[in-house]
Amino acid sequence: MPLDIAVIGTGHVGLITAGTLARVGHTVIGVDDDKGKIESLRAGRMPFFEAGLTELVTQEIASGRLRFTEDITEAVAKAEVAFICVGTPGRPTGEPNMLAVEGVATALGRAAIHDMVVVEKSTVPVQTADRIRAVLARTSPHAFHVASNPEFLREGRAVEDSLHPDRILVGADNAWAHGIMRRLYEPMIEAGARYFATDVSTAELAKHACNAFLALKISFANGLARVCEASGADVVDVADIMGSDPRIGRDFLDAGLGWGGSCFPKDLAAFRAQSERLGYRFGLLDEVVKINDEALTSTFNKIREALWNLEGKRVVLLGLAFKPGTDDVRESPALRLAQMLLDGGAIVLGVDPQAGPAAAARVEGLEVVDDAYAAADGADCLVVCTEWPVFATLDLVRLKGILTVPILVDGRNLFDATAAREAGFSYFPTGRPALP
Ligand code: UGA
């Protein structure tokens, strides 16, 4: 039976959650205090790029199951479930800033006119539910059941991941809330999603544990890459061999410029800070972050070594987004590299199928160019920062012809070494033998 749902916050997580729950038949109201954003959404304009999102949202608005408002009171009037999907940006200490979550809990408490399930969807530190529960108890006479329902969406594939999840995680502290949450996801469970019903703290912690472990796998591959470079071994082959063991798995063993984005850096910092607050110094996580920084420095050093002096050299970055398939440049290794090169006196040009405008707005001095060949004309070095498939189809012979110096630093092991060599490049991959 369909439920009435309010989704507070229409960022990446909130908007996709709202669209997905409407798609499976529930009645959903998305809430945001940004008036301009609400007007754009009503008109079918998305605040960010995500494959399939415009179609999902516009179709569900047309179906009558999804609408948007700025008014939280209107949104919760009928809602049986309210999702908290607001941002938790990192503080300099690593702890997330939970002001927006507290604000929503207060607003929900004041606006509610009946009992409901309040769901943490934003990634939050373990024990946040206790805080939310306390705020709700202070601000409302109604009974609230706080549930944790972390998402496992990958940017760029978030709509697909959300519509067809392989697992759903729900933490709640009583059977009634568990019953409501199960009803909410029944269509996905019937379609084969694995459903984990647990307590709230376990669900909160599991989300941080998943992201920390994925980041750890990548850092392991990046540490290996340094040893491979020093010994002449090939990190891609090592990762393939490791990955063929089902106990290890091949995913997230791609060495490169390191991990970025809106999740891993923030979640790692939050997890470290929360573990420490709880009395455990999770030193392994410090190493994971350190190796990630070294992956970037290593690529920077390769460029500097190949160019001799950076001052006045034209360096083209292929890819600016933190990964392919998105226009998101938050904590993008490409932008950190751009800044290091600019600080070193280089002229830095960037090419990206989606993230050009966002990158230009963040890095002063970065020159964004639409076309890779135009950017490469007269340049001294090409650096692959994001493995967009379209870059793999670039004509290396043509590029070699227009570069002043044919240096290719492959921060994502996108190109075939032999093809790069045959085209006449000095080729510097990551964790694989260089062909200078
Ligand atoms: C990540 C998780 O993969 C999702 O499961 C999770 O739901 C999400 O965070 C979140 O917490 O919201 P996402 O940040 O979209 O998803 O990106 P990933 O695909 O995980 O990539 C993260 C970073 O790791 C990227 O910079 C990517 O280039 C890098 N990466 C990934 C590597 O350097 N090597 C790899 O082998 C894989």
Side-chain angles (χ1 to χ4, degrees):
M1 217 179 42
L3 290 156
D4 279 294
I5 297 160
V7 175
I8 326 292
T10 58
H12 260 98
V13 173
L15 202 46
I16 292 164
T17 301
T20 301
L21 293 173
R23 173 60 55 88
V24 296
H26 302 297
T27 305
V28 184
I29 306 187
V31 191
D32 207 292
D33 52 14
D34 182 338
K35 190 165 184 264
K37 204 170 172 188
I38 292 297
E39 277 166 8
S40 297
L41 287 169
R42 284 180 181 145
R45 283 192 307 275
M46 300 304 110
F48 51 86
F49 170 79
E50 187 67 52
L53 184 63
T54 307
E55 295 78 357
L56 177 68
V57 170
T58 51
Q59 284 164 11
E60 291 314 314
I61 292 175
S63 77
R65 288 188 295 264
L66 176 61
R67 62 192 180 86
F68 295 97
T69 180
E70 294 155 67
D71 183 359
I72 194 163
T73 310
E74 177 197 342
V76 300
K78 281 178 71 189
E80 296 155 285
V81 184
F83 278 87
I84 302 180
C85 299
V86 291
T88 54
R91 294 184 190 273
T93 55
E95 290 163 310
N97 180 335
M98 302 298 288
L99 256 180
V101 174
E102 183 182 350
V104 171
T106 307
L108 277 174
R110 291 196 181 130
I113 50 173
H114 49 70
D115 304 354
M116 65 169 94
V117 180
V118 173
V119 186
E120 302 167 342
K121 193 78 178 165
S122 310
T123 302
V124 294
V126 61
Q127 296 184 332
T128 297
D130 299 340
R131 299 280 193 180
I132 295 176
R133 219 176 272 122
V135 172
L136 291 167
R138 262 204 312 272
T139 46
S140 171
H142 299 289
F144 291 94
H145 303 280
V146 180
S148 165
N149 172 215
E151 50 80 21
F152 298 106
L153 313 177
R154 294 160 297 179
E155 276 187 40
R157 286 192 261 175
V159 171
E160 190 54 28
D161 283 352
S162 183
L163 289 172
H164 308 288
D166 52 5
R167 62 187 160 158
I168 296 165
L169 171 59
V170 171
D173 289 337
N174 69 63
W176 183 76
H178 267 300
I180 293 269
M181 293 304 288
R182 208 185 156 94
R183 247 173 78 196
L184 197 72
Y185 286 114
E186 205 57 59
M188 279 99 156
I189 299 167
E190 274 168 20
R194 204 163 160 202
Y195 190 78
F196 291 90
T198 181
D199 62 275
V200 178
S201 292
T202 301
E204 289 172 331
L205 191 67
K207 167 68 188 190
H208 270 156
C210 287
N211 276 1
F213 194 81
L214 290 171
L216 178 150
K217 274 191 95 176
I218 302 167
S219 284
F220 189 90
N222 281 323
L224 268 181
R226 302 290 83 77
V227 183
C228 286
E229 281 170 9
S231 62
D234 185 323
V235 77
V236 177
D237 292 346
V238 176
D240 287 344
I241 294 159
M242 288 174 65
S244 69
D245 183 336
R247 292 172 302 176
I248 298 175
R250 177 64 179 82
D251 288 346
F252 282 66
L253 281 179
D254 289 325
L257 234 53
W259 39 265
S262 65
C263 303
F264 286 178
K266 186 164 73 75
D267 289 357
L268 257 279
F271 193 30
R272 284 158 89 199
Q274 184 70 352
S275 303
E276 191 136 5
R277 203 179 67 79
L278 292 167
Y280 179 65
R281 210 185 137 265
F282 211 149
L284 177 62
L285 302 182
D286 299 343
E287 237 4 80
V288 171
V289 173
K290 183 170 154 263
I291 294 173
N292 197 50
D293 291 340
E294 286 165 2
L296 194 67
T297 318
S298 159
T299 307
F300 173 77
N301 288 343
K302 265 179 220 159
I303 300 167
R304 198 176 45 185
E305 186 61 29
L307 287 175
W308 191 13
N309 296 297
L310 279 181
E311 288 88 346
K313 299 283 166 57
R314 290 174 79 82
V315 181
V316 177
L317 303 185
L318 295 176
L320 300 167
F322 84 97
K323 68 173 191 178
T326 176
D327 63 352
D328 198 340
V329 295
R330 285 175 290 176
E331 299 287 330
S332 171
L335 297 200
R336 289 176 67 194
L337 183 65
Q339 194 59 62
M340 288 163 86
L341 291 164
L342 286 165
D343 291 346
I347 299 159
V348 185
L349 299 93
V351 187
D352 192 285
Q354 293 287 347
R362 285 203 185 215
V363 182
E364 201 181 329
L366 171 69
E367 206 178 308
V368 172
V369 181
D370 285 340
D371 177 58
Y373 298 105
D377 198 1
D380 299 283
C381 178
L382 285 180
V383 186
V384 180
C385 294
T386 318
E387 66 280 28
W388 284 96
V390 68
F391 293 146
T393 65
L394 287 169
D395 181 344
L396 287 176
V397 175
R398 183 174 163 202
L399 283 171
K400 150 83 173 57
I402 55 179
L403 281 156
T404 303
V405 188
I407 295 171
L408 177 54
V409 177
D410 196 342
R412 296 291 179 186
N413 290 331
L414 182 70
F415 287 102
D416 175 65
T418 314
R421 190 76 190 124
E422 279 172 11
F425 276 94
S426 293
Y427 181 65
F428 301 93
T430 305
R432 321 186 80 175
L435 299 174

